Amino acid sequence: MATNLPTKLRNEPLIDAIFEVRFIGSMPASVILPGIFFGKLPGQKIIENLPIAQIPKPLRDADQNLKFAAISKIDWDAYFINVGDFSLSVSCKYPYPGWSKFRDAIAQAIEILDSAGIVETVERYSLKYIDLFPATTNREKVSMLNMKVMIADHELKEEPFQMRMEISKDELIHAVQIVSSANAVLHNGLTKDGLVVDVDTIAVIDGISMEILLNDFSKKLDSIHSANKSMFFDCLRSETIAALGPSYE
């Protein structure tokens, strides 16, 4: 596990960052939260219903892939706040504003969620970062990664690939997904192509109260952020990190 982590990258590959919390509530959060957020968040906001809102709730509840999906989206400042029946997430607009500002936005959103008084227990929270590395050939993409893959006595060298692995460490689960040829369309319409490294760090907490979650919440956020960042850099070769222009100040 990486110990000396960069504080800043000159060639930033980050294209998305998402914090999510999943919970059991006394009522579907999508019914009440958008209005509460609209009233309590400062500045201009725009609320948009997402396509999944057209699917009847019983069908959403029966499908684990839909149960925690976002039903409405609030466009707020440098962020999007996504509300589902049993989930809330905060994502960053491109470019990434930095961890300090993102952490403050997360804390503000969670405080508003707590004030709604509908959360009975919190099941998990997670922090996901998605990075994209421009590259022209699959051989170049493979060479960027700290990995060795063998299938049927064949070593991955220049073939297109997609892989996902869940790595458990220090009471966290890191769901690492790597896609050799990806196309990303950012919120501003900008399109990027290349190698994607997606690290989703999950704290499964199985039914704690909001009061317990909010106890030292800033410290919890810093901890999961550090773990995610460490896992990301562990996925890269030293030459790849050097090409990103790291600063350690």
Side-chain angles (χ1 to χ4, degrees):
M1 186 71 75
T3 53
N4 187 23
L5 301 176
T7 56
K8 191 175 182 180
L9 300 174
R10 184 175 64 252
N11 304 315
E12 179 63 73
L14 183 64
I15 60 171
D16 204 359
I18 306 135
F19 173 86
E20 182 194 49
V21 60
R22 297 183 180 181
F23 49 83
I24 294 173
S26 58
M27 63 184 302
S30 62
V31 175
I32 187 174
L33 280 187
I36 292 176
F37 272 95
F38 193 85
K40 292 195 173 185
L41 288 173
Q44 294 185 337
K45 291 88 60 177
I46 299 173
I47 298 179
E48 173 189 356
N49 282 331
L50 300 176
I52 198 171
Q54 304 302 317
I55 300 175
K57 186 177 182 303
L59 295 181
R60 298 198 303 263
D61 292 348
D63 187 336
Q64 288 298 310
N65 294 319
L66 299 178
K67 184 175 182 179
F68 299 103
I71 294 172
S72 62
K73 178 173 70 174
I74 303 169
D75 184 333
W76 167 61
D77 195 25
Y79 309 96
F80 293 112
I81 296 178
N82 305 282
V83 180
D85 288 331
F86 306 102
S87 67
L88 174 75
S89 66
V90 184
S91 61
C92 295
K93 296 179 183 178
Y94 184 84
Y96 180 59
W99 172 239
S100 179
K101 291 182 179 179
F102 186 30
R103 179 184 57 200
D104 289 347
I106 294 168
Q108 192 169 355
I110 294 300
E111 287 176 3
I112 294 174
L113 171 64
D114 181 47
S115 72
I118 63 170
V119 176
E120 296 178 342
T121 57
V122 180
E123 302 300 303
R124 56 173 265 185
Y125 62 92
S126 61
L127 185 64
K128 174 192 282 194
Y129 281 90
I130 303 174
D131 292 81
L132 186 146
F133 298 82
T136 55
T137 67
N138 283 325
R139 182 176 289 273
E140 181 185 5
K141 294 169 185 175
V142 173
S143 71
M144 292 178 173
L145 300 169
N146 178 27
M147 71 174 191
K148 185 174 182 179
V149 178
M150 296 282 294
I151 298 178
D153 294 327
H154 178 81
E155 181 179 354
L156 174 67
K157 293 181 179 178
E158 58 183 0
E159 299 77 12
F161 69 94
Q162 180 173 341
M163 63 180 296
R164 185 180 188 276
M165 180 180 292
E166 293 189 2
I167 304 168
S168 296
K169 186 172 180 64
D170 298 331
E171 300 182 346
L172 296 171
I173 299 171
H174 302 277
V176 180
Q177 182 168 265
I178 302 176
V179 181
S180 63
S181 299
N183 176 270
V185 180
L186 307 183
H187 76 92
N188 58 6
L190 183 65
T191 300
K192 287 179 172 283
D193 300 285
L195 169 74
V196 162
V197 178
D198 174 334
V199 181
D200 190 5
T201 301
I202 305 163
V204 181
I205 45 185
D206 291 331
I208 67 170
S209 66
M210 283 294 292
E211 180 181 2
I212 294 175
L213 175 67
L214 290 173
N215 184 34
D216 287 331
F217 185 57
S218 183
K219 191 176 295 184
K220 289 183 175 78
L221 288 178
D222 283 337
S223 178
I224 196 171
H225 173 257
S226 294
N228 181 287
K229 184 176 181 179
S230 184
M231 179 59 65
F232 167 69
F233 282 107
D234 278 348
C235 291
L236 307 180
R237 291 185 176 169
S238 57
E239 296 84 357
T240 309
I241 298 173
L244 296 176
S247 172
Y248 295 89
E249 297 177 356

